[in-house]
Amino acid sequence: MRKITPVAKAVAVVLTVVIAAGLGLWLYSADRTAGDTGHWAGSHAPDRIEVNASVLKVDAAAREAVLRVLVVPLGRFGEDDGVAPTGELRLLSSSSLRDDRVFPAHQRISSLDIPIALTGGAVTDYPFDGYEARIEFAAVHAGEPAPVLFTLDKVDSLFSFSVKDYRATEDQGGLDVRFSRSASVLVFALFMMITMWGLAIAVFFGARHLIARRKGLVWPSFGFMAATLFALAGFRNLAPGSPPIGSLLDYTAFLWAEVVIALCVVVAVVTGAITEQGKPDS
C-alpha cells in the first residue's frame, strides 16, 4: 500500500478548507443576491406615487412581518423631488396591513414601519415553515386616485421571499408574497440536526464500550456524557429564528438525542456501580 506523504496530507487539508470556504461563499452570495432582488407592480407613469417597501423583520411566532415603507410622490404629485406631496396624500393599504396613512400637503414625508399579518404555515414546521401575505397599496391625492408603483425588497437575513402573483392596475400595485427560511438558516438547522445525532451516537458508543469492557465507574467519561446532555440544550437554543419547543427540529433530532444520551448515562452509571461492587476489595 502506498504511503501518504505529509505533503499530500497538508495539500488535502488545504483543499478541504478551500472547498468548504468556497461553498460558504457561494451560499452567502446566493443569500445576498436574493436579498438584493426587488419586485415591483403598478404604473410607470411620470406622475405617480412610488411606494418603496423593505421587509425588515419576519416574526413567525407572532405571524407578523414588518415593512419599512417610504412614499415618494413624483411629477405633479410631489415637490422637491418627491420629498413632500403637493396635496393631501392618503395611502390606502390591503387588509393584511393595519390601517391607512395620511400625509398632509407640503409636509416632508418620513419613512414608516408597517406591520403586516401573515397567513398559512406553522412555526413548528421549522426550519421548513412558510407564510403568505397579500400586500397592496393604492393612493388618493387631493381627493382623486393616483397611479401607484409598489416595489418590495428584503432586509431580514433569516427569511427569503418569493412573489406568487402580481396585482397591478393603473392606480394600484400589489404582490402576493410567500416567506420561507433563507438558505443559510436551512443549512445551519440541518447542521444542528446532524450534530445532535452525531453526539448522541458518540455517547452511545462510549457507553457501550464502558459496559462491554466492564470498566466500572469511569468518572471522566460520565462527566463528558452529562456535559453533552446539557450542552445540547444550549446548542438547540442557538437555532436561528428562535423556534419554539415542539418544532420539527426537536422531534427529528433534539429530543431523540437527549433521550439517547440520558439513557446512556443512566445505564452506564448503574452498570458501572454494579461492576464496582463485584470487584474484590484491595
Side-chain angles (χ1 to χ4, degrees):
M1 182 181 293
R2 187 176 179 180
K3 187 177 181 180
I4 301 176
T5 64
V7 175
K9 293 180 180 179
V11 171
V13 171
V14 171
L15 286 177
T16 302
V17 172
V18 170
I19 292 172
L23 179 61
L25 288 174
W26 177 77
L27 289 171
Y28 167 78
S29 177
D31 264 2
R32 178 66 181 270
T33 301
D36 291 340
T37 301
H39 299 266
W40 60 268
S43 173
H44 283 278
D47 301 326
R48 66 179 184 269
I49 307 297
E50 283 195 358
V51 181
N52 303 316
S54 297
V55 182
L56 284 186
K57 182 181 180 181
V58 178
D59 189 342
R63 304 183 71 81
E64 183 178 84
V66 178
L67 298 182
R68 176 152 294 175
V69 177
L70 178 62
V71 180
V72 183
L74 299 177
R76 66 182 179 86
F77 299 119
E79 56 186 31
D80 297 331
D81 294 329
V83 173
T86 55
E88 183 185 78
L89 177 61
R90 184 179 296 271
L91 185 67
L92 311 178
S93 56
S94 58
S95 58
S96 64
L97 282 71
R98 296 290 176 82
D99 51 18
D100 301 329
R101 306 301 170 103
V102 178
F103 304 97
H106 312 297
Q107 292 190 18
R108 183 184 181 90
I109 297 178
S110 300
S111 61
L112 54 143
D113 294 346
I114 300 178
I116 62 172
L118 303 178
T119 60
V123 68
T124 50
D125 290 340
Y126 179 93
F128 305 108
D129 51 330
Y131 311 91
E132 297 179 352
R134 175 172 293 179
I135 309 172
E136 294 179 301
F137 289 98
V140 176
H141 182 273
E144 296 183 357
V148 170
L149 177 64
F150 170 50
T151 63
L152 181 67
D153 57 23
K154 180 182 76 75
V155 176
D156 190 349
S157 61
L158 298 181
F159 279 85
S160 61
F161 77 89
S162 58
V163 176
K164 298 302 181 181
D165 192 18
Y166 294 83
R167 301 177 177 274
T169 62
E170 181 62 25
D171 56 357
Q172 179 177 312
L175 301 170
D176 288 342
V177 181
R178 178 172 177 79
F179 295 97
S180 55
R181 303 286 175 174
S182 65
S184 59
V185 172
L186 286 174
V187 170
F188 194 84
L190 292 175
F191 166 75
M192 293 182 72
M193 294 179 185
I194 295 171
T195 301
M196 289 174 182
W197 273 112
L199 290 174
I201 293 171
V203 170
F204 170 79
F205 280 114
R208 180 174 177 271
H209 175 79
L210 294 177
I211 296 170
R213 298 297 179 88
R214 303 183 65 84
K215 293 291 185 177
L217 296 175
V218 184
W219 296 112
S221 298
F222 298 149
F224 161 73
M225 296 179 186
T228 303
L229 181 69
F230 293 103
L232 274 184
F235 182 56
R236 188 258 178 229
N237 291 332
L238 293 177
S242 302
I245 294 294
S247 63
L248 191 62
L249 171 70
D250 300 316
Y251 285 112
T252 56
F254 173 67
L255 295 178
W256 286 110
E258 291 284 77
V259 168
V260 169
I261 294 173
L263 288 176
C264 288
V265 172
V266 172
V267 173
V269 170
V270 171
T271 305
I274 295 174
T275 300
E276 292 290 342
Q277 289 181 356
K279 291 181 179 180
D281 295 335
S282 55

